[in-house]
Amino acid sequence: EIVLTQSPGTLSLSPGERATLSCRASQSVGSSYLAWYQQKAGQAPRLLIYGASSRATGIPDRFTGSGSGTDFTLTISRLEPEDFALYYCQQYRYSPYTFGQGTKLEIK
Amino acid sequence: QMQLVQSGAEVKKTGSSVKVSCKASGSTFTYRYLHWVRQAPGQALEWMGWITPFNGNTNYAQKFQDRVTITRDRSMSTAYMELSSLRSEDTAIYYCASEALGRGDMDVWGQGTTVTVSS
């Protein structure tokens, strides 16, 4: 089973700042099998990024995904108030399709 | 755009089973893999398995292999997840999610079903 380790566990930033979230896989998942999801309290997850770097429909261009192999990054260029939430990475290269433990992005 | 609507909250006794439904509307149900993901209170997302509505093929996480059954009714555009031998650790929100055609990621999610297990 591929283990995804997200860092940091909690990221405290202010609106307008840049956020960088990391996801590291225990073995290579290639360049096309990594997704990022955003989850707000009491809501289902929402797909942000698929294929490591493609934005899902309706996702603002301040969200950028990058990386390949074992190291992936989600960057939010200028934080908006609605961006403060939980973020999960997920690999779907191998079954079981595993998720990271999440990064909480909170207002500083 | 596909939408997924799940059945309502359940309260179950330890050792019993629960069956959660997930009804699709607005798009083609048949050809999009349908996944089940759960989230225990304050915990991360956990993938349980998927079904291909077209032919009913399934793939389960080994952790749940002995206790989970995912089925579908194509005529009703509905998928089901049944979890047996419930224990307190199964208390969680259970989500169904549809896989984007040909991609593997989950681009449409149900609203979630809360399952509470107690003795």
Side-chain angles (χ1 to χ4, degrees):
Chain A
E1 172 175 323
I2 293 179
V3 176
L4 298 179
T5 302
Q6 292 186 240
S7 61
T10 301
L11 186 57
S12 299
L13 294 169
S14 300
E17 291 192 295
R18 179 187 187 92
T20 302
L21 287 67
S22 174
C23 175
R24 177 162 290 178
S26 59
Q27 65 186 79
S28 176
V29 299
S31 60
S32 303
Y33 301 98
L34 195 286
W36 290 93
Y37 300 86
Q38 178 194 68
Q39 187 179 34
K40 296 181 179 179
Q43 297 184 17
R46 178 176 72 144
L47 177 68
L48 298 175
I49 301 288
Y50 65 92
S53 60
S54 298
R55 273 186 295 274
T57 303
I59 301 303
D61 61 7
R62 64 179 182 273
F63 291 90
T64 302
S66 62
S68 65
T70 60
D71 290 300
F72 299 87
T73 301
L74 174 68
T75 302
I76 311 171
S77 58
R78 295 170 309 280
L79 285 166
E80 297 287 343
E82 62 267 27
D83 298 336
F84 292 91
L86 264 170
Y87 291 83
Y88 293 98
C89 58
Q90 181 221 359
Q91 68 81 22
Y92 44 95
R93 177 69 178 86
Y94 300 104
S95 180
Y97 297 176
T98 46
F99 291 87
Q101 83 281 14
T103 289
K104 181 181 180 181
L105 180 54
E106 65 177 23
I107 298 177
K108 188 173 181 179
Chain B
Q1 173 72 353
M2 172 182 272
Q3 294 181 352
L4 299 174
V5 178
Q6 299 182 224
S7 50
E10 302 264 12
V11 178
K12 293 293 183 180
K13 294 289 188 185
T14 303
S16 67
S17 298
V18 67
K19 191 170 186 177
V20 180
S21 68
C22 173
K23 183 173 177 59
S25 63
S27 185
T28 304
F29 168 73
T30 303
Y31 300 105
R32 293 167 63 103
Y33 284 34
L34 197 291
H35 296 257
W36 288 91
V37 175
R38 78 176 187 180
Q39 187 172 38
Q43 300 300 308
L45 301 167
E46 183 174 31
W47 180 79
M48 301 179 70
W50 54 247
I51 187 167
T52 56
F54 175 71
N55 57 14
N57 284 351
T58 55
N59 178 29
Y60 302 134
Q62 189 168 8
K63 174 178 179 177
F64 303 103
Q65 184 80 37
D66 296 336
R67 297 197 296 136
V68 71
T69 304
I70 301 175
T71 57
R72 95 295 188 212
D73 182 336
R74 283 177 58 177
S75 67
M76 298 283 289
S77 296
T78 300
Y80 304 91
M81 186 283 300
E82 184 170 20
L83 189 62
S84 63
S85 303
L86 290 169
R87 33 213 191 222
S88 59
E89 310 90 90
D90 294 319
T91 293
I93 300 174
Y94 289 77
Y95 294 101
C96 60
S98 182
E99 180 179 308
L101 271 172
R103 289 203 329 229
D105 53 275
M106 302 168 198
D107 66 340
V108 180
W109 291 69
Q111 83 277 18
T113 296
T114 299
V115 175
T116 304
V117 183
S118 66
S119 54

